[in-house]
């Protein structure tokens, strides 16, 4: 894979590839909204982009250079009944109304249109992860899979099992159905290194010294989708173990200088689905402040 090198060592005339991985986290992603606004203000760019779940959508705004776009979704749009809630879940089978988020709001005629053409024109790789609903395995989508004004790729990466219906693929993925990329691999950092990245920024959705517990609603999820998507339920049962192992591995890589972990020191009560305007603002501000940590790493 060819990547355009944007970073060079000050001590030696050598080129090194710096990538960024955003693992998402539902509404906790307001932290990364602050990070990316800080990165844009600092003029930071990367050689490689990899997003998981909501992390893929937040990265898209950053790559498109749309400062302030991400935070609008948290401080404004999430409080609309069309965006999320049990009414949507009962009516359409989607707690998060992905058609509203990545269609009505995001299309060129929406209130917060994404400049998707800038992503398509990007010289660097832009990738996002999904989970094959049939097999439970990770599937990587590329920027060329993006369809302007039909942002199915972000819907596919963000479709939380049980809370959302699986998203049907298009183009070369026609006939397949997808769930949230974090189901099959919560922190796919190895993918970035396998693709040639030398140093990696990993945007977390929790303090880096915290660990994930077993899915508390696993039996409810199993009853809801287990007969149709047993491999997805199996992955959810193992996800906390995979996440915690990958965090430990990343902490070692951070000590070696190969990884920079950026995550909030606290969540102020925000969770994947819990919204709070004041807490959102605090998490956004914390992300913006943490954005300066990128300079020493680069």
């Amino acid at each position: 894979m060819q990547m355009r090198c944007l970073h060079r060592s000050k001590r030696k005339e050598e080129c090194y590839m710096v990538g960024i991985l955003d693992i998402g986290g539902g509404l906790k992603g307001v932290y990364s909204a602050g990070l990316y606004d800080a990165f844009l203000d600092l003029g930071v760019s990367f050689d490689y982009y990899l997003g998981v779940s909501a992390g893929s959508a937040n990265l898209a705004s950053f790559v498109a250079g749309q400062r302030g776009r991400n935070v609008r979704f948290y401080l404004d749009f999430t409080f609309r009944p069309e965006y999320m809630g049990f009414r949507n879940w009962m009516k359409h089978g989607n707690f998060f109304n992905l058609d509203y988020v990545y269609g009505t709001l995001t299309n060129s005629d929406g209130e917060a249109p994404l400049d998707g053409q800038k992503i398509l024109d990007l010289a660097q790789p832009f990738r996002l992860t999904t989970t094959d609903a049939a097999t439970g395995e990770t599937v990587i989508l590329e920027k060329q899979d993006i369809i302007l004004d039909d942002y199915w790729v972000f819907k596919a990466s963000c479709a939380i099992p049980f809370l959302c219906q699986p998203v049907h693929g298009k183009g070369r993925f026609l006939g397949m159905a997808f769930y949230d990329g974090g189901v099959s691999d919560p922190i796919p950092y190895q993918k970035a290194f396998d693709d040639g990245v030398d140093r990696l920024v990993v945007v977390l959705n929790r303090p880096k010294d915290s660990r994930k517990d077993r899915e508390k609603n696993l039996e409810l999820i199993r009853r809801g989708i287990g007969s149709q998507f047993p491999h997805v339920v199996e992955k959810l049962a193992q996800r906390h173990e995979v996440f915690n192992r990958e965090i430990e591995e990343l902490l070692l890589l951070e000590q070696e200088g190969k990884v920079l972990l950026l995550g909030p020191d606290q969540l102020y009560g925000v969770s994947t689905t819990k919204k709070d305007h004041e807490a959102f603002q605090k998490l956004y501000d914390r992300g913006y402040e943490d954005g300066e940590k990128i300079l020493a790493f680069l």
Side-chain angles (χ1 to χ4, degrees):
M1 179 191 66
Q2 294 295 318
M3 289 197 291
R4 177 183 168 200
C5 181
L6 300 176
H7 305 90
R8 292 187 178 276
S9 170
K10 291 182 178 179
R11 288 175 292 182
K12 304 185 209 178
E13 273 302 314
E14 60 181 13
C15 181
Y16 57 93
M17 302 293 182
V18 180
I20 183 166
L21 162 63
D22 189 328
I23 70 169
L27 300 183
K28 293 176 287 186
V30 68
Y31 171 81
S32 67
L35 276 179
Y36 296 141
D37 282 352
F39 289 172
L40 287 171
D41 289 346
L42 293 168
V44 171
S45 59
F46 297 91
D47 303 294
Y48 177 95
Y49 301 87
L50 179 60
V52 182
S53 190
S56 65
N58 283 351
L59 266 179
S61 295
F62 170 65
V63 169
Q66 294 179 272
R67 189 192 189 285
R69 179 178 181 271
N70 283 330
V71 73
R72 291 184 64 194
F73 282 78
Y74 299 95
L75 296 183
D76 181 2
F77 302 144
T78 58
F79 293 92
R80 299 180 181 181
E82 304 96 323
Y83 193 102
M84 59 182 289
F86 287 101
R87 182 181 301 176
N88 290 324
W89 197 23
M90 297 300 292
K91 187 175 181 180
H92 305 293
N94 291 288
F95 183 87
F96 290 99
N97 187 346
L98 301 179
D99 288 335
Y100 182 74
V101 178
Y102 300 117
T104 303
L105 295 173
T106 297
N107 288 344
S108 57
D109 59 352
E111 291 181 66
L114 175 67
D115 190 348
Q117 189 61 50
K118 283 192 176 179
I119 304 172
L120 294 176
D121 294 340
L122 185 71
Q124 294 76 29
F126 180 94
R127 296 179 171 147
L128 56 158
T129 69
T130 61
T131 298
D132 185 335
T135 67
E137 296 303 314
T138 299
V139 176
I140 304 294
L141 306 184
E142 308 276 355
K143 63 187 176 188
Q144 58 263 32
D145 296 310
I146 295 174
I147 302 172
L148 299 180
D149 284 352
D150 184 1
Y151 292 107
W152 73 272
V153 295
F154 300 118
K155 298 176 189 178
S157 189
C158 296
I160 300 174
F162 191 61
L163 290 182
C164 297
Q165 296 293 324
V167 173
H168 295 286
K170 298 187 178 181
R172 63 193 178 112
F173 296 104
L174 195 64
M176 298 179 67
F178 299 100
Y179 273 124
D180 190 302
V183 173
S184 52
D185 192 347
I187 320 177
Y189 76 89
Q190 191 59 51
K191 170 64 178 171
F193 285 122
D194 289 346
D195 284 345
V197 167
D198 299 303
R199 300 183 189 178
L200 184 65
V201 177
V202 181
V203 181
L204 302 174
N205 54 34
R206 62 182 61 220
K208 63 183 181 181
D209 60 353
S210 70
R211 298 296 177 266
K212 184 181 283 292
D213 296 325
R214 183 177 186 269
E215 172 59 58
K216 61 182 179 181
N217 295 316
L218 185 62
E219 293 310 313
L220 181 63
I221 295 171
R222 193 187 305 277
R223 290 197 298 270
I225 67 171
S227 60
Q228 190 174 7
F229 304 112
H231 298 295
V232 170
V233 176
E234 183 180 343
K235 290 289 186 178
L236 287 171
Q238 302 168 353
R239 182 171 56 170
H240 66 293
E241 297 175 353
V242 177
F243 180 95
N244 294 339
R245 185 191 73 241
E246 290 175 331
I247 282 289
E248 295 297 336
E249 292 167 351
L250 285 167
L251 286 171
L252 292 176
L253 290 171
E254 187 173 46
Q255 293 178 10
E256 297 174 12
K258 296 179 180 179
V259 164
L260 173 65
L261 296 176
L262 293 176
D265 54 2
Q266 60 176 307
L267 293 172
Y268 305 100
V270 176
S271 69
T272 301
T273 60
K274 185 178 180 181
K275 52 191 174 182
D276 181 291
H277 194 281
E278 182 178 354
F280 281 165
Q281 187 64 59
K282 289 179 178 179
L283 264 184
Y284 171 84
D285 291 343
R286 174 58 64 190
Y288 191 89
E289 292 173 8
D290 286 351
E292 289 196 356
K293 295 179 180 179
I294 192 71
L295 297 178
F297 184 70
L298 295 180

